[in-house]
Structure formats: C-alpha cells, structure tokens
Amino acid sequence: MKRRRFVQGAAALALLGVRPAQAALPTIPSLDAWLAGRAPRFERIKLSIPALADNGFAVPMRVIVDGPFAPGPHVKSIRLFSETNPVSDMAIFEFPVPIERVEVESRIRLAGTQQVVAVAEMTDGRVYAMATEVIVTLAGCMDGT
Amino acid sequence: MMEARINVPAKAARNEPFEVRLQIRHAMETGYRTDDTGKAIPRNVVRNVTCRYNGDVVFAAQLSSGIAANPYLRFFVTARSSGELVFEWVDDAGVRVTERAPVIVA
C-alpha cells in the first residue's frame, strides 16, 4: 500500500511538472561570498523560470517578493546568481524607495542546464532565497570553440 | 533609430504601483564571441540602468552578460504625482543614453 501511494504520488508530480522548492542552494562562490555566513530563509521570494528552456539566449525570468511590507522592512535589493554561467553574478535589482509591489521581469542567458538563485535582501538585513532548476537545450553562450 | 521602447500606463492611480516596461536596444556583447577573422569581439553590455521619478531614483538595475540581448525589464513604481520617468543607462563602451516617459497621476 505504501509503495503504491508513493508511485502514484511520484507519477502525479511528474505529470504536473511540479518542481519541489529547493531547500538548499547550489554552491556558487560569489553567492556564498555575498551571503557571508547569513542563512537565507526559503520563503516569500518566488523565482519563475520555465522548467525547460529551448533557447538559452533569452530565457524569461520573473521574481516576486510577497508583501505586505509597510510598516516593516521593505525589499532593498534582489540578486540573481547562476550556477554555471561564466559570469555568476547575473543581475542586481535595487529598490531605493519602499514599494509594495516587488516584481521584476527580464530575460536571461543561461549556459546550459543549471540552477538559478534569486536572493532578496530586506532593509533589516534579513535574506530570502529561492533556487530553480532550468533545463537548457541550446546553451546561450558561444565561446567560438 | 529608437534606443528603447518604454511602456507606462496612460494614467496611474495615486499611491498605487504602476507597471513600467523598458526594452533597451543593445547587443549585450558577452566578450566570448569571435568575428569572422577569429578576433575576439570585446565585451560590451549595459551595466547600469536607473529609473528616476520626478528626480528620485525609484529603481536601479546592474546587469551583466547574463542578461539577454536587447535587455528587457518590467518593474513597478508607486504613483505619487504627475511628472516624468527618466531612464538612464550606460554600457561598457561608456555610451550613456537618457529616455523619458510622462506619468499622469489621476
């Protein structure tokens, strides 16, 4: 019975394409250096990237941090890190004034299948993170080789 | 040639966030590509993008070669009073571009 339930659950997950939220971050030296020992919480931030990207040259990316923020701390910045791109620091989005709707969309380049990490830093120093796995069929990186 | 496409709602509600969409025309050259003669094409990406609203910086982005060509950004700004958004960006070659968009707060 247990085994049957497990098989059903696994099949359902596979069918829905559900990717369980990563409870750990991939090892990215620049991310570790920036965190400097701070332990991020795996909540409030949501990084949406298609699970399968045909073209690594332009992969849609959306990051949202759930409010409400006022009167508490608001989002200071959101950083994007790549696990295997030649440049692991992909982008920094800054919010110099408090904003209730924290949502940024862009298109990123990915050099192959990897995890992408979004980290939000609050004005009180708290850090929220989420990692997402992306399968890339055509890497968005040509080195001429 | 247009340097960017900017999309701001025709009217924004006071104290509510409104959507801003910006697409910059730029090759975002990674520095990893070579030309026909095998010579490396130097890296040239848009580094800093800022969005000022009536003088105050309300959003800024630091980009890298990890952002796709013709970088696209969508973000939100809280409507306070009518005025204008001023977008400014600079690339590795030092080319600085400024674009403006009016904001009407009802």
Side-chain angles (χ1 to χ4, degrees), chain B residues 22-94:
Chain B
L22 167 71
Q23 183 159 28
I24 299 170
R25 242 174 59 91
H26 199 282
M28 296 296 273
E29 200 56 66
T30 58
Y32 300 112
R33 297 199 312 149
T34 52
D35 63 14
D36 294 342
T37 62
K39 220 173 101 232
I41 302 169
R43 189 188 64 197
N44 184 12
V45 304
V46 172
R47 282 287 155 198
N48 291 292
V49 183
T50 58
C51 173
R52 283 191 173 79
Y53 179 28
N54 292 342
D56 300 326
V57 178
V58 288
F59 177 81
Q62 293 173 42
L63 309 181
S64 73
S65 53
I67 300 297
N70 297 324
Y72 165 74
L73 288 169
R74 174 177 169 269
F75 55 93
F76 288 83
V77 173
T78 309
R80 298 291 181 212
S81 57
S82 295
E84 67 172 358
L85 292 177
V86 179
F87 302 88
E88 193 178 51
W89 58 91
V90 60
D91 68 8
D92 285 326

Side-chain angles (χ1 to χ4, degrees), chain A residues 57-58 62 85-87 89-99 101 103-109 142-144, chain B residues 17 23 27-28 30 32-34 57-69 72-78:
Chain A
F57 284 94
R62 177 191 289 163
N85 276 13
V87 177
D89 298 340
M90 304 186 86
I92 306 172
F93 306 112
E94 292 164 353
F95 307 90
V97 294
I99 172 115
R101 183 151 180 197
E103 181 175 339
V104 178
E105 240 178 67
S106 189
R107 296 189 193 110
I108 57 175
R109 283 186 179 130
M142 287 191 296
D143 54 7
Chain B
Q23 183 159 28
M28 296 296 273
T30 58
Y32 300 112
R33 297 199 312 149
T34 52
V57 178
V58 288
F59 177 81
Q62 293 173 42
L63 309 181
S64 73
S65 53
I67 300 297
Y72 165 74
L73 288 169
R74 174 177 169 269
F75 55 93
F76 288 83
V77 173
T78 309

